[in-house]
Amino acid sequence: MLLLLLLQVSASCLWLGRSEVVTSFESSCPQFFFRETPPNEALEPERPAWICQHYKNQYYFATLYDMNRRIPVYSAYLYQPGPGTRPKTWLVEPQLMGPTYPKTMEREWTLLNYFNVSLEQLSKSQAILQDYKNLMGLNRGHLNPSGHHPDSSSRMATFTLTNIVPQNEKLNGGAWNNYEQQTMIRRTQGCNTTYVVVGAVPGNNYIAKGRVNKPSHIWSSACCEVDTNHRKAWAVIAENDKNEVQLLTLGELEDMLTQLYGRDQVFLFDRNCPRE
């Protein structure tokens, strides 16, 4: 009994953060969406999971996750860049295995050693570290980038494999990085609050022996509140095998995603965000 107690205490000391699989973003973490309105159902995968990414008693962003393809559909966050270093620890999402598991981002090691979880069990619903080893021409590409957050806790929260896709390494370190670091700074001038939804379109190729989808496109969209009466929006999309980023209006991106997904019309933000 004492040993079990000690193990539980030790495990609790290793917990790095919290993220919770929920039934809807509107009821659990709506603050990351303009006017508390998430994208419509046109992007939802066959086996979705809604994750409110929570770390050190605070929600930091929201992720719609595709458990079949083992990549995020999109992540939504507030743009609040600040100085700091990149974390080095990667985390996974225990609750994708089921609601009885901790509402916490965890290291694989912690789950395997303290929660009686097998790697096979963990890997059924999500990507694991092994999936991203020995990549050829690809990086672990953040959807929600750590550099768009103001402090160590918010940056650490982005280092979950539920926020990562296999991204072309030249694009990730080139044109996409330029958009994240330079274009966003210019575009957000005068913005009081900037809401971002960034996502990945599933492709026809996979890594890790067919386990993890390699997206065909990476995209990002932003809705900026200048003041109570004025808003502006913009968007970008990139093919995931070229080092090029195309700047679009929000309406143009929504129309492109509608064509790429081949379903209903895509709406990424509330209708009060300008499409032109």
Side-chain angles (χ1 to χ4, degrees), residues 82-103:
T85 57
R86 279 172 61 90
K88 296 180 180 180
T89 300
W90 290 93
L91 308 173
V92 291
E93 175 48 63
Q95 283 214 325
L96 289 178
M97 295 183 291
T100 60
Y101 290 94
K103 298 177 181 179

Short mmCIF file of all heavy atoms in Angstrom, two decimals, residues 82-103:
data_model
loop_
_atom_site.label_atom_id
_atom_site.label_comp_id
_atom_site.label_asym_id
_atom_site.label_seq_id
_atom_site.Cartn_x
_atom_site.Cartn_y
_atom_site.Cartn_z
N GLY A 82 6.18 36.27 -27.73
CA GLY A 82 7.09 36.79 -26.72
C GLY A 82 8.44 36.10 -26.83
O GLY A 82 8.57 35.08 -27.50
N PRO A 83 9.46 36.64 -26.17
CA PRO A 83 10.79 36.04 -26.24
C PRO A 83 10.88 34.77 -25.39
O PRO A 83 10.08 34.56 -24.49
CB PRO A 83 11.69 37.14 -25.66
CG PRO A 83 10.80 37.87 -24.70
CD PRO A 83 9.43 37.84 -25.33
N GLY A 84 11.85 33.93 -25.71
CA GLY A 84 12.05 32.72 -24.91
C GLY A 84 12.64 31.61 -25.75
O GLY A 84 12.73 31.70 -26.97
N THR A 85 13.03 30.54 -25.08
CA THR A 85 13.64 29.40 -25.75
C THR A 85 12.58 28.35 -26.09
O THR A 85 11.51 28.31 -25.49
CB THR A 85 14.71 28.75 -24.86
OG1 THR A 85 14.11 28.36 -23.61
CG2 THR A 85 15.84 29.74 -24.58
N ARG A 86 12.91 27.50 -27.07
CA ARG A 86 12.03 26.40 -27.44
C ARG A 86 12.18 25.25 -26.47
O ARG A 86 13.30 24.85 -26.13
CB ARG A 86 12.39 25.89 -28.85
CG ARG A 86 11.83 26.72 -29.98
CD ARG A 86 12.40 26.24 -31.30
NE ARG A 86 12.05 24.85 -31.59
CZ ARG A 86 10.97 24.47 -32.25
NH1 ARG A 86 10.11 25.38 -32.68
NH2 ARG A 86 10.73 23.19 -32.50
N PRO A 87 11.07 24.68 -26.01
CA PRO A 87 11.16 23.48 -25.17
C PRO A 87 11.75 22.31 -25.95
O PRO A 87 11.83 22.33 -27.17
CB PRO A 87 9.70 23.20 -24.79
CG PRO A 87 8.99 24.50 -25.02
CD PRO A 87 9.70 25.15 -26.16
N LYS A 88 12.15 21.26 -25.23
CA LYS A 88 12.72 20.09 -25.88
C LYS A 88 11.96 18.80 -25.55
O LYS A 88 12.24 17.75 -26.12
CB LYS A 88 14.19 19.94 -25.47
CG LYS A 88 15.06 21.08 -25.95
CD LYS A 88 16.51 20.89 -25.53
CE LYS A 88 17.38 22.04 -26.02
NZ LYS A 88 18.80 21.89 -25.61
N THR A 89 11.02 18.88 -24.63
CA THR A 89 10.25 17.71 -24.21
C THR A 89 8.98 17.59 -25.04
O THR A 89 8.26 18.57 -25.21
CB THR A 89 9.87 17.81 -22.73
OG1 THR A 89 11.07 17.90 -21.95
CG2 THR A 89 9.08 16.60 -22.28
N TRP A 90 8.70 16.37 -25.54
CA TRP A 90 7.49 16.13 -26.31
C TRP A 90 6.49 15.34 -25.46
O TRP A 90 6.86 14.42 -24.74
CB TRP A 90 7.81 15.36 -27.58
CG TRP A 90 8.55 16.18 -28.57
CD1 TRP A 90 9.91 16.26 -28.73
CD2 TRP A 90 7.99 17.08 -29.53
NE1 TRP A 90 10.22 17.15 -29.72
CE2 TRP A 90 9.07 17.67 -30.24
CE3 TRP A 90 6.68 17.45 -29.86
CZ2 TRP A 90 8.87 18.59 -31.27
CZ3 TRP A 90 6.48 18.36 -30.88
CH2 TRP A 90 7.57 18.93 -31.58
N LEU A 91 5.21 15.71 -25.58
CA LEU A 91 4.15 15.12 -24.77
C LEU A 91 3.11 14.45 -25.66
O LEU A 91 3.05 14.69 -26.87
CB LEU A 91 3.49 16.22 -23.93
CG LEU A 91 4.45 17.09 -23.10
CD1 LEU A 91 3.70 18.24 -22.45
CD2 LEU A 91 5.15 16.25 -22.05
N VAL A 92 2.28 13.61 -25.04
CA VAL A 92 1.18 12.94 -25.72
C VAL A 92 -0.10 13.16 -24.92
O VAL A 92 -0.08 13.75 -23.84
CB VAL A 92 1.45 11.43 -25.91
CG1 VAL A 92 2.58 11.21 -26.90
CG2 VAL A 92 1.76 10.76 -24.59
N GLU A 93 -1.23 12.65 -25.44
CA GLU A 93 -2.54 12.92 -24.83
C GLU A 93 -3.17 11.63 -24.31
O GLU A 93 -3.76 10.86 -25.07
CB GLU A 93 -3.45 13.58 -25.87
CG GLU A 93 -4.87 13.80 -25.42
CD GLU A 93 -4.96 14.46 -24.07
OE1 GLU A 93 -4.51 15.60 -23.93
OE2 GLU A 93 -5.46 13.80 -23.14
N PRO A 94 -3.07 11.36 -23.00
CA PRO A 94 -3.62 10.12 -22.44
C PRO A 94 -5.10 9.93 -22.69
O PRO A 94 -5.56 8.80 -22.92
CB PRO A 94 -3.34 10.25 -20.94
CG PRO A 94 -2.20 11.20 -20.85
CD PRO A 94 -2.38 12.16 -21.98
N GLN A 95 -5.90 11.00 -22.66
CA GLN A 95 -7.35 10.84 -22.77
C GLN A 95 -7.82 10.39 -24.15
O GLN A 95 -8.98 10.00 -24.31
CB GLN A 95 -8.06 12.12 -22.35
CG GLN A 95 -8.11 12.32 -20.85
CD GLN A 95 -9.39 12.99 -20.41
OE1 GLN A 95 -9.93 13.85 -21.09
NE2 GLN A 95 -9.89 12.58 -19.25
N LEU A 96 -6.94 10.41 -25.13
CA LEU A 96 -7.32 9.85 -26.42
C LEU A 96 -7.50 8.34 -26.33
O LEU A 96 -8.15 7.73 -27.18
CB LEU A 96 -6.28 10.19 -27.50
CG LEU A 96 -6.25 11.66 -27.94
CD1 LEU A 96 -5.16 11.89 -28.96
CD2 LEU A 96 -7.60 12.09 -28.51
N MET A 97 -6.95 7.72 -25.28
CA MET A 97 -7.16 6.29 -25.05
C MET A 97 -8.50 6.03 -24.37
O MET A 97 -9.00 4.90 -24.38
CB MET A 97 -6.03 5.72 -24.20
CG MET A 97 -4.67 5.74 -24.86
SD MET A 97 -3.41 4.96 -23.82
CE MET A 97 -3.27 6.15 -22.48
N GLY A 98 -9.06 7.06 -23.72
CA GLY A 98 -10.32 6.89 -23.02
C GLY A 98 -10.44 7.87 -21.87
O GLY A 98 -9.44 8.38 -21.36
N PRO A 99 -11.66 8.15 -21.41
CA PRO A 99 -11.89 9.18 -20.39
C PRO A 99 -11.38 8.81 -19.00
O PRO A 99 -11.30 9.67 -18.13
CB PRO A 99 -13.42 9.33 -20.38
CG PRO A 99 -13.93 8.02 -20.91
CD PRO A 99 -12.92 7.56 -21.90
N THR A 100 -11.03 7.54 -18.78
CA THR A 100 -10.54 7.14 -17.45
C THR A 100 -9.08 7.51 -17.24
O THR A 100 -8.59 7.45 -16.12
CB THR A 100 -10.71 5.63 -17.23
OG1 THR A 100 -9.96 4.92 -18.23
CG2 THR A 100 -12.17 5.23 -17.31
N TYR A 101 -8.40 7.90 -18.30
CA TYR A 101 -6.99 8.26 -18.18
C TYR A 101 -6.84 9.73 -17.76
O TYR A 101 -7.78 10.51 -17.88
CB TYR A 101 -6.26 7.97 -19.49
CG TYR A 101 -6.12 6.49 -19.73
CD1 TYR A 101 -7.06 5.80 -20.50
CD2 TYR A 101 -5.09 5.76 -19.16
CE1 TYR A 101 -6.98 4.43 -20.70
CE2 TYR A 101 -4.98 4.39 -19.36
CZ TYR A 101 -5.93 3.73 -20.12
OH TYR A 101 -5.83 2.38 -20.30
N PRO A 102 -5.66 10.11 -17.27
CA PRO A 102 -5.48 11.47 -16.75
C PRO A 102 -5.80 12.56 -17.77
O PRO A 102 -5.54 12.39 -18.96
CB PRO A 102 -3.99 11.50 -16.37
CG PRO A 102 -3.61 10.08 -16.17
CD PRO A 102 -4.45 9.29 -17.12
N LYS A 103 -6.36 13.65 -17.27
CA LYS A 103 -6.64 14.82 -18.11
C LYS A 103 -5.36 15.64 -18.25
O LYS A 103 -5.35 16.84 -18.00
CB LYS A 103 -7.75 15.67 -17.50
CG LYS A 103 -9.08 14.95 -17.36
CD LYS A 103 -10.08 15.85 -16.68
CE LYS A 103 -11.42 15.15 -16.50
NZ LYS A 103 -12.41 16.02 -15.82
#
